[in-house]
């Protein structure tokens, strides 16, 4: 798969940086083919060059619009050297082999930015050059494509250090970069032609039009394949906010895939109830008891089949969406009694590995947070070790914490979310909120476990936790003042474990 460059077609708008490459290629006896301006440039260096017209027997026409667009040029780039009929046709039509293609496209973006007239801009839409790039990149098995000045130094290295020999890996990498150049170039042309209004219409064509966005005065669209993830059995059309809650719900319940029957209730993307029990109906009732006020109008999700008993309980609650991997027929019948209630069957598919959101005038993309804290991740940092049941609760709390808006504090006990403080600007505020909520719903925090999405910069959180009755704490650790919190726990008989993994969610 190693190939040596013996011939090159060079067609560049900017001649900057070309000289050393041309000289090196010449030193290695590479035959050079070129177009008008580039040909002049090479000739002026005193280096022999064959004009493309000599290959095509056709002059450059239409004021330069057609220079390289010819089967003898594209045949030379696109032929497969291991294909007998290609090799035969190359001979039959007297097509010269082209091993290397170097292109620098007409500067479309620069011309737009200069405020040039539409006519000048359109003349700067490169046709032959972009085709050369695509052809060279498509045939990377045999051809080396250099589609940008940025790759000149890599090319120089290849011709200098490897005497013009390239590996398949080299060529594939250059092809990838070339497709990046061509897609960016076409993207720029698209952006020039599309005014805001047309882009908006495009969106409507390609996305699912929602009734409205986050609020009724905002337009909204969904781009995605909802049906790949869910089968909708019943209910009204999903709204923008429903979709966000469903997204939060499936991410949350994903943490409990291998646990026993687990039920979660979410509001505004955060869990306001979650419990694991022997049966799904018990899990539902325990989740609801956590915060029945917030559960009103919530999104409900189960990690196992919803049976009739559970459906009858759910039916007493006004809720927007119910999600489960499956339902008993009688359960569906009961849940369908409310006309608008959305019932979704969650398909067994992996959640996407990347997350995208807008940021300023662009996008942010990141990997999904796919670390779930397990017993193996825990390092006890206090004299007091957490008990076996505390360890279960710490992991349980941490899984909820990870899926709750930062700053977050989660209290849990016996496989039940007791309360949480969510989306607060300080961790202390989150903790105070969680304590107040637990009290408001009549829960006793004695012996409960606490999870924090990030480390404690000061010992104030463990102090407040102790006062509230918490006996075990899970947090990532890593603050320069970790010792202060550890010392307080040691003096006050609290168990604390570090996970080493921060779980911010903004
Ligand atoms: O007008 S084009 O789209 N038609 C062509 O056939 C063609 N072939 C190469 N422009 C074409 N090119 C472009 O010409 C190259 O991409 C490069 O930007 C430029 C080099 O022209 P010259 O060698 O005459 O300076």
């Amino acid at each position: 798969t190693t190939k040596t460059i013996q011939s090159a077609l060079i067609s560049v708008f900017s001649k900057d940086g070309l000289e050393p490459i041309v000289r090196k290629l010449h030193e290695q006896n590479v035959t050079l083919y070129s177009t008008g301006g580039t040909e002049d440039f090479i000739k002026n260096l005193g280096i022999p060059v064959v004009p493309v017209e000599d290959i095509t027997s056709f002059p450059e026409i239409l004021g330069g619009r057609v220079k390289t667009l010819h089967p003898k040029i594209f045949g030379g780039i696109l032929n497969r050297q291991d294909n007998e009929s290609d090799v035969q046709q190359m001979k039959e039509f007297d097509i010269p082999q082209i091993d290397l293609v170097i292109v620098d496209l007409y500067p479309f973006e620069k011309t737009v930015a200069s405020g040039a007239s539409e006519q000048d801009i359109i003349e700067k839409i490169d046709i032959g050059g972009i085709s050369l790039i695509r052809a060279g990149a498509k045939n990377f098995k045999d051809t080396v494509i250099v589609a940008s000045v940025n790759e000149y130094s890599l090319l120089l290295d290849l011709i200098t250090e490897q005497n013009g020999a390239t590996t398949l890996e080299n060529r594939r990498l250059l092809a990838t970069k070339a497709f990046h150049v061509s897609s960016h170039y076409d993207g720029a042309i698209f952006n020039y032609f599309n005014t805001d209004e047309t882009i908006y219409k495009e969106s409507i064509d390609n996305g699912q039009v929602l009734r409205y966005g986050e609020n009724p005065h905002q337009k909204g669209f969904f781009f995605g394949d909802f049906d790949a993830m869910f089968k909708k059995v019943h209910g009204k059309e999903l709204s923008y906010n429903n979709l966000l809650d469903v997204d939060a719900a499936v991410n949350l319940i994903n943490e409990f895939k291998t646990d026993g029957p687990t039920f979660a209730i979410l509001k505004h993307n955060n869990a306001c109830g979650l419990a694991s029990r022997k049966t799904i109906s018990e899990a539902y009732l325990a989740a609801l008891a956590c915060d029945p006020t917030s559960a009103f109008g919530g999104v409900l999700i189960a990690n196992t089949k919803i049976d009739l008993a559970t459906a009858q309980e759910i039916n007493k609650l006004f809720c927007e969406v119910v999600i489960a991997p499956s339902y008993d027929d009688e359960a569906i019948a009961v849940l369908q009694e409310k006309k608008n209630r959305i019932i979704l069957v969650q398909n067994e598919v992996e959640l996407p590995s990347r997350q995208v959101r807008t940021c300023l005038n662009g996008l942010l993309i990141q990997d999904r947070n796919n670390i779930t804290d397990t017993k193996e991740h825990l390092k006890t940092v206090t004299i007091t070790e957490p008990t076996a049941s505390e360890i279960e609760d710490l992991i349980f709390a941490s899984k909820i914490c990870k899926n709750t808006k930062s700053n977050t504090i989660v209290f849990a006990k016996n496989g039940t979310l007791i309360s949480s403080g969510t989306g607060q600007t300080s961790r202390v505020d989150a903790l105070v909120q969680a304590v107040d909520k637990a009290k408001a719903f009549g829960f006793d925090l004695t012996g409960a476990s606490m999870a924090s999405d990030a480390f404690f910069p000061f010992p104030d959180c463990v102090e407040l936790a102790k006062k509230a009755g918490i006996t075990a704490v899970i947090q990532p650790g890593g603050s320069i003042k970790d010792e202060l919190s550890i010392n307080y726990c040691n003096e006050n008989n609290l168990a604390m474990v570090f996970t080493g993994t921060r779980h911010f969610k903004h």
Side-chain angles (χ1 to χ4, degrees), residues 121-148:
I121 289 171
I122 286 175
E123 273 323 309
K124 286 293 183 300
I125 298 177
D126 202 314
I127 306 298
I130 204 96
S131 305
L132 292 172
I133 289 176
R134 290 172 60 83
K138 172 170 177 169
N139 204 28
F140 70 89
K141 274 195 172 166
D142 292 308
T143 312
V144 183
I145 176 67
V146 171
S148 151

Side-chain angles (χ1 to χ4, degrees), residues 115-240:
S117 67
E118 168 118 342
Q119 172 137 22
D120 287 348
I121 289 171
I122 286 175
E123 273 323 309
K124 286 293 183 300
I125 298 177
D126 202 314
I127 306 298
I130 204 96
S131 305
L132 292 172
I133 289 176
R134 290 172 60 83
K138 172 170 177 169
N139 204 28
F140 70 89
K141 274 195 172 166
D142 292 308
T143 312
V144 183
I145 176 67
V146 171
S148 151
V149 181
N150 299 334
E151 264 56 74
Y152 282 8
S153 64
L154 173 60
L155 176 65
L156 257 184
D157 287 351
L158 293 176
I159 9 185
T160 315
E161 285 161 26
Q162 300 178 196
N163 282 326
T166 58
T167 62
L168 184 65
E169 215 181 14
N170 295 150
R171 296 191 296 278
R172 202 177 195 284
L173 174 68
L174 283 165
T176 310
K177 290 176 183 249
F179 282 124
H180 193 206
V181 169
S182 66
S183 64
H184 177 86
Y185 195 81
D186 278 340
I189 298 170
F190 170 78
N191 287 341
Y192 169 74
F193 278 92
N194 276 271
T195 62
D196 281 352
E197 192 51 26
T198 16
I199 287 168
Y200 202 59
K201 287 202 195 103
E202 274 284 312
S203 311
I204 297 174
D205 288 347
N206 301 326
Q208 181 191 330
V209 186
L210 303 172
R211 224 154 66 98
Y212 48 76
E214 202 161 4
N215 298 294
H217 60 278
Q218 294 166 270
K219 286 199 175 104
F221 304 92
F222 172 68
F223 295 84
D225 188 357
F226 189 83
D227 296 339
M229 295 190 71
F230 305 98
K231 184 173 154 232
K232 188 175 152 197
V233 182
H234 179 79
K236 63 174 182 172
E237 203 184 300
L238 277 95
S239 71
Y240 183 101

